[in-house]
Amino acid sequence: MSSPRKITSKLLEDLRTHRDPDESRRIRTSMIIAARIASALREKGWNKIRLASELNKSPSLVTRWLSGNHNFTTDTLSDIQNVLGIQLLHLEPVQADGQPTAN
Amino acid sequence: MKFELVILDNLSGGRTTLLSPILEGHELTLFEHFVAANKKNFAREVINLELRLEVVGKETGLMEEFFKTGAGRLGQNICTFKDRPRSLLRLYFIEFGNFAIILGGGGPKPKSIQTSQEVPVLANALNILGLIADTLRMAEKKGHFGFDEDGNMFSTTDYIYDSEDYVQPPKNNK
């Protein structure tokens, strides 16, 4: 079974060289967090309204979280991971010098 | 209208295949025409949109939460990404579940405008992609195009389609 012809676009390659690394990282992070939340909702059999209700937020806010465009606060991420039982923030205890505590 | 579907290798990955049609007589895909037309006046938006497409293709897949449906007629499955704050650009695409998306054209849609049909460049992009969507749906019905149960795409025509072979031309309302 053959696939469509693949092209590598010079125009898109050129566009990529103009990406802002910080902005790109933020966009990618928002999309991946949204994907993780959506995946956790599916696994729990919850919909957006249930998540909104659990967190005492509006369903439209949850829609914005899942759009892949949202600038999350650490409070919001902490609340979401708590109700969904997933890890969105990876935090380890730190020593006085700021380094993670060795296990 | 004759076109060939090609895979945009820059954007496609293990999660979703991103394709775009090349219309007969053109060298660029519809998506590349969109980029070329808007990269000067909407540079930041075009660059970020291209990145988002790459993340969809390689990392997240196309999640229904990322996009809005209903840009075209019922059954055409023409979608746009949900608005980012201060974003103006609309890019139209056809979704085939999480397997593949076919990128069309688009352009700027001022916030003051209610419907895309009021903006000629958007109306034109929507009409072209709508015809492609209708063609592919008919090709699917005839077994000339589609996806198997593993999500593998197939074509009996080397992914080259002529809308005249599949879609009735609109009747002239005289």
Side-chain angles (χ1 to χ4, degrees):
Chain A
M1 196 173 289
S2 68
S3 291
R5 188 162 63 88
K6 287 183 181 179
I7 65 158
T8 303
S9 166
K10 294 274 187 292
L11 192 61
L12 300 187
E13 276 184 352
D14 177 61
L15 205 59
R16 190 167 299 195
T17 64
H18 293 92
R19 285 181 184 171
D20 177 290
D22 291 330
E23 197 169 7
S24 298
R25 178 174 34 77
R26 289 184 209 117
I27 289 170
R28 182 176 169 271
T29 301
S30 290
M31 293 178 73
I32 290 173
I33 287 173
R36 285 198 187 161
I37 296 169
S39 170
L41 287 178
R42 278 192 277 276
E43 278 179 25
K44 287 178 87 74
W46 288 12
N47 58 18
K48 287 185 278 190
I49 294 170
R50 172 76 187 272
L51 179 60
S53 168
E54 294 283 338
L55 292 169
N56 201 22
K57 304 286 185 190
S58 69
S60 64
L61 179 59
V62 175
T63 299
R64 286 209 297 279
W65 292 345
L66 294 172
S67 70
N69 293 327
H70 193 70
N71 183 4
F72 291 92
T73 64
T74 49
D75 283 355
T76 302
L77 291 176
S78 178
D79 291 345
I80 295 170
Q81 68 178 11
N82 183 50
V83 293
L84 291 180
I86 57 174
Q87 193 167 44
L88 298 169
L89 296 164
H90 182 65
L91 299 176
E92 294 173 352
V94 292
Q95 303 172 83
D97 63 0
Q99 295 300 308
T101 305
N103 287 330
Chain B
M1 185 176 68
K2 199 171 175 182
F3 63 91
E4 178 189 2
L5 288 179
V6 296
I7 292 176
L8 294 167
D9 213 25
N10 313 62
L11 305 176
S12 297
R15 301 305 303 270
T16 298
T17 302
L18 286 91
L19 304 107
S20 190
I22 298 177
L23 303 188
E24 188 177 35
H26 291 248
E27 289 187 2
L28 299 178
T29 62
L30 289 181
F31 179 61
E32 289 170 295
H33 278 297
F34 166 84
V35 169
N38 293 290
K39 69 176 185 174
K40 187 176 174 192
N41 292 337
F42 301 94
R44 207 67 279 137
E45 273 197 64
V46 171
I47 289 165
N48 291 343
L49 184 56
E50 191 259 356
L51 168 70
R52 285 164 63 77
L53 291 167
E54 187 182 5
V55 173
V56 164
K58 297 178 179 174
E59 298 189 77
T60 62
L62 183 67
M63 297 173 37
E64 63 184 48
E65 291 84 359
F66 288 169
F67 62 89
K68 296 184 286 193
T69 56
R73 288 199 322 275
L74 195 65
Q76 288 182 329
N77 282 7
I78 297 182
C79 314
T80 59
F81 279 105
K82 285 183 179 168
D83 279 351
R84 288 175 62 77
R86 296 183 296 281
S87 67
L88 285 177
L89 281 185
R90 283 278 180 289
L91 171 70
Y92 296 115
F93 61 90
I94 309 166
E95 57 106 359
F96 288 89
N98 198 19
F99 300 136
I101 62 179
I102 296 176
L103 301 173
K109 177 175 176 284
K111 298 285 185 194
S112 57
I113 298 289
Q114 288 291 317
T115 68
S116 301
Q117 294 295 349
E118 296 174 58
V119 185
V121 69
L122 293 179
N124 185 48
L126 204 46
N127 287 339
I128 290 172
L129 198 60
L131 185 55
I132 289 168
D134 290 340
T135 302
L136 292 175
R137 300 293 167 206
M138 281 309 296
E140 251 185 313
K141 281 185 184 170
K142 292 183 174 184
H144 298 172
F145 171 78
F147 298 84
D148 66 19
E149 52 194 29
D150 295 322
N152 299 311
M153 208 179 310
F154 68 84
S155 170
T156 59
T157 61
D158 291 331
Y159 300 94
I160 296 169
Y161 298 93
D162 190 338
S163 57
E164 289 182 10
D165 295 339
Y166 296 94
V167 182
Q168 293 279 339
K171 285 180 184 167
N172 200 341
N173 294 326
K174 276 187 181 171

